[in-house]
């Protein structure tokens, strides 16, 4: 009796051992026989009918006879044992990281302050001795820089990707032809003042230049041949779109500065420009001192909600005393005009900077240029200013003229 019990117990232990071994190998191969055991292991539900014969299929908790279709296999989820590793504490490191971040931001602020003061000083001296003509000349140079930098970022990005646009020899010529066409259109009032050309003549000249660029671009594309021609089409059309967007968004909007200074004087160009400078500076200061919540982290990770709100309040607060300094005179509702322009400079103008950040992020560029140390290029410095220029002119045209 004892011998029989021992044999039965031994068989049970052997079966359990084989089942355990086979279950681990089952996860890697279903169609293989495991551990040289006469049973096949599949997993399933309890079945009351169990065949006592040694041949069959192990079905979880029962043995299915040979020739019988096994029931649906149960899914066995193997969970990793809970990790006993203790995560390093970051409580002590958090204040140190915060202090380092603040120190870096303050250092960056100091780096930006010097070039900004020099730039403002040079602008003041230029306007003091040249007046409106000096400002118009400065705006024309800025438009050249805005266009060159914005298109250059896209060209540099495509060059890194191995662009074949160099095969289109006429592209550099067409690029600056479009720029000249736009400059004639936006500056025709200025051209008429210094030449004998009329507005209708300039319009005709502008249209002919546009038509010539269209015909030239299509002929150049038609002359391309060989493998990869479709890729060249896409690259060329992409750069064409980039050039025209730069002309519309940067050159076109900045041309309103010229209209404003000619019709309303130097003060109405400087006052909105100072508002944007104050807003940009205070957004940085409040962001360094109080910034905790990201405003648009995917586009501009350094911009914070605290900086945006603090800059807006600061800009509105300084608007009235600043406009009296820039405009002067006894003008009806001057303070109200100043507040409205300050609100626009606080709520809308920063989105020009957000768009510029998106362009840089999309093309892997830190800045549009390196003309101004600590600030980047012309676009980096005037991306918010160009958004303000058309609003100022159109607001003055519709409300300031009527009240004056």
């Amino acid at each position: 009796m004892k011998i029989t019990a021992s044999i039965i117990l031994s068989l049970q232990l052997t079966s359990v051992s084989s089942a355990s071994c086979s279950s681990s190998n089952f996860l890697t191969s279903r169609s293989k026989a495991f551990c040289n055991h006469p049973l096949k292991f599949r997993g399933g539900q309890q079945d009351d009918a169990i065949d006592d014969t040694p041949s069959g299929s192990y079905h979880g908790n029962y043995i299915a006879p040979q020739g019988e279709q096994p029931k649906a296999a149960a899914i066995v989820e193997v969970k990793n044992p809970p990790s006993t590793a203790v995560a390093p504490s970051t409580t002590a490191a958090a204040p140190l990281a915060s202090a380092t971040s603040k120190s870096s931001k303050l250092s960056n602020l100091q780096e930006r302050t010097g070039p900004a003061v020099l730039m403002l000083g040079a602008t003041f001296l230029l306007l003091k001795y040249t007046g409106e003509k000096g400002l118009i000349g400065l705006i024309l140079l800025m438009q050249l820089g805005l266009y060159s930098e914005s298109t250059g970022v896209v060209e540099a990005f495509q060059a890194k990707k191995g662009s074949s646009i160099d095969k289109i020899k006429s592209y550099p010529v067409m690029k600056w032809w479009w720029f000249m066409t736009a400059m004639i259109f936006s500056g025709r009032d200025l051209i008429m003042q210094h030449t004998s050309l009329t507005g209708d003549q300039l319009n005709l000249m502008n249209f002919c230049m546009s038509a010539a660029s269209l015909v030239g671009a299509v002929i150049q594309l038609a002359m391309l041949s060989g493998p990869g021609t479709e890729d060249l089409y896409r690259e060329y059309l992409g750069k064409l779109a980039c050039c025209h967007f730069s002309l519309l968004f940067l050159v076109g909007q900045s041309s309103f500065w010229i209209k404003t200074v000619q019709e309303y004087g130097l003060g109405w160009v400087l006052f909105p420009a100072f508002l944007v400078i104050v807003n940009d500076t205070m957004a940085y200061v409040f962001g360094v001192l109080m910034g905790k919540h990201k405003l648009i982290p995917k586009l501009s990770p350094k911009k914070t909600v605290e900086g945006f709100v603090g800059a807006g309040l600061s800009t509105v607060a300084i608007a009235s005393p600043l406009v009296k300094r820039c405009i002067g005179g006894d003008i009806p509702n001057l303070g109200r005009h100043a507040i409205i322009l300050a609100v626009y400079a606080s709520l809308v103008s920063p989105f020009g900077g957000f768009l510029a950040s998106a362009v840089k992020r999309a093309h892997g560029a830190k800045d549009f240029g390196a003309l101004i140390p600590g600030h980047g290029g012309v676009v980096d410095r005037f991306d918010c200013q160009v958004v303000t220029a058309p609003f100022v002119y159109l607001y003055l045209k519709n409300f300031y003229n009527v009240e004056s």
Side-chain angles (χ1 to χ4, degrees):
M1 189 67 176
K2 291 181 180 181
I3 294 174
T4 303
S6 299
I7 293 173
I8 293 173
L9 180 60
S10 176
L11 289 173
Q12 289 179 344
L13 290 175
T14 303
S15 176
V16 171
S17 175
S18 300
S20 175
C21 175
S22 302
S23 297
S24 63
N25 291 331
F26 168 72
L27 296 175
T28 58
S29 175
R30 293 186 176 181
S31 60
K32 188 176 180 182
F34 303 106
C35 297
N36 298 322
H37 196 277
L39 301 181
K40 297 179 182 178
F41 299 69
R42 297 184 180 174
Q45 297 177 348
Q46 182 84 27
D47 193 345
D48 293 334
I50 301 177
D51 194 350
D52 292 330
T53 60
S55 61
S57 299
Y58 184 76
H59 200 50
N61 296 326
Y62 73 97
I63 300 175
Q66 286 184 344
E68 179 180 328
Q69 184 70 23
K71 296 182 179 181
I75 298 175
V76 179
E77 182 180 0
V78 180
K79 295 183 178 179
N80 294 328
S83 175
T84 57
V86 180
S89 174
T90 58
T91 306
L96 180 60
S98 177
T100 304
S101 177
K102 267 190 179 179
S103 175
S104 175
K105 290 180 179 179
L106 290 173
S107 176
N108 190 19
L109 178 61
Q110 293 174 354
E111 181 185 356
R112 292 162 60 99
T113 302
V117 172
L118 290 176
M119 186 168 55
L120 290 174
T123 304
F124 172 77
L125 292 176
L126 174 68
L127 298 180
K128 181 179 179 180
Y129 292 104
T130 61
E132 295 180 0
K133 292 182 179 180
L135 179 61
I136 292 174
L138 181 61
I139 292 171
L140 294 175
L141 288 176
M142 285 171 45
Q143 289 177 329
L144 177 65
L146 291 169
Y147 183 70
S148 177
E149 288 182 354
S150 58
T151 55
V153 165
V154 178
E155 291 167 1
F157 177 74
Q158 291 189 348
K160 291 179 181 178
K161 292 174 59 180
S163 171
S164 302
I165 198 68
D166 293 338
K167 294 181 180 179
I168 304 179
K169 302 299 183 182
S170 65
Y171 168 72
V173 177
M174 297 299 296
K175 169 185 172 179
W176 293 107
W177 181 269
W178 296 325
F179 176 73
M180 291 302 300
T181 305
M183 292 296 289
I184 292 174
F185 178 78
S186 62
R188 58 183 178 176
D189 293 339
L190 195 62
I191 295 174
M192 286 188 293
Q193 291 177 7
H194 296 85
T195 65
S196 58
L197 294 173
T198 65
D200 292 335
Q201 290 173 334
L202 287 173
N203 288 338
L204 179 60
M205 182 188 299
N206 223 222
F207 176 78
C208 291
M209 292 179 70
S210 299
S213 66
L214 171 64
V215 174
V218 173
I219 291 176
Q220 177 64 74
L221 290 176
M223 293 173 62
L224 297 175
S225 60
T229 303
E230 292 79 5
D231 294 334
L232 281 176
Y233 289 165
R234 279 190 289 270
E235 290 182 24
Y236 183 80
L237 294 174
K239 286 192 174 182
L240 185 149
C242 169
C243 291
H244 283 76
F245 179 77
S246 298
L247 292 172
L248 175 66
F249 187 79
L250 298 174
V251 177
Q253 292 194 113
S254 61
S255 65
F256 282 93
W257 280 324
I258 299 177
K259 291 180 174 293
T260 302
V261 73
Q262 288 179 325
E263 297 184 28
Y264 298 99
L266 196 60
W268 283 110
V269 175
L270 296 180
F271 169 63
F274 283 132
L275 288 179
V276 175
I277 292 173
V278 169
N279 185 266
D280 186 55
T281 303
M282 297 310 295
Y284 190 83
V285 171
F286 276 96
V288 170
L289 299 178
M290 305 173 58
K292 293 183 180 179
H293 303 88
K294 301 297 183 182
L295 183 63
I296 309 180
K298 291 185 178 180
L299 294 183
S300 189
K302 295 182 180 180
K303 300 293 190 299
T304 63
V305 175
E306 293 80 3
F308 187 80
V309 174
L313 295 176
S314 302
T315 306
V316 172
I318 203 174
S320 293
L322 186 59
V323 75
K324 294 177 182 178
R325 182 69 177 174
C326 293
I327 307 300
D330 187 14
I331 301 175
N333 299 317
L334 184 61
R336 189 185 71 183
H337 296 316
I339 296 297
I340 291 174
L341 294 180
V343 170
Y344 182 89
S346 301
L347 298 181
V348 180
S349 297
F351 282 83
F354 299 152
L355 178 60
S357 297
V359 173
K360 289 186 290 186
R361 185 170 294 274
H363 295 89
K366 183 179 182 294
D367 294 312
F368 281 94
L371 181 65
I372 310 171
H375 294 266
V378 182
V379 179
D380 297 290
R381 190 65 276 152
F382 293 96
D383 48 10
C384 299
Q385 297 279 5
V386 295
V387 179
T388 313
F391 175 77
V392 172
Y393 175 78
L394 296 173
Y395 176 82
L396 295 175
K397 198 80 172 174
N398 285 276
F399 298 101
Y400 183 73
N401 276 348
V402 174
E403 295 186 358
S404 299

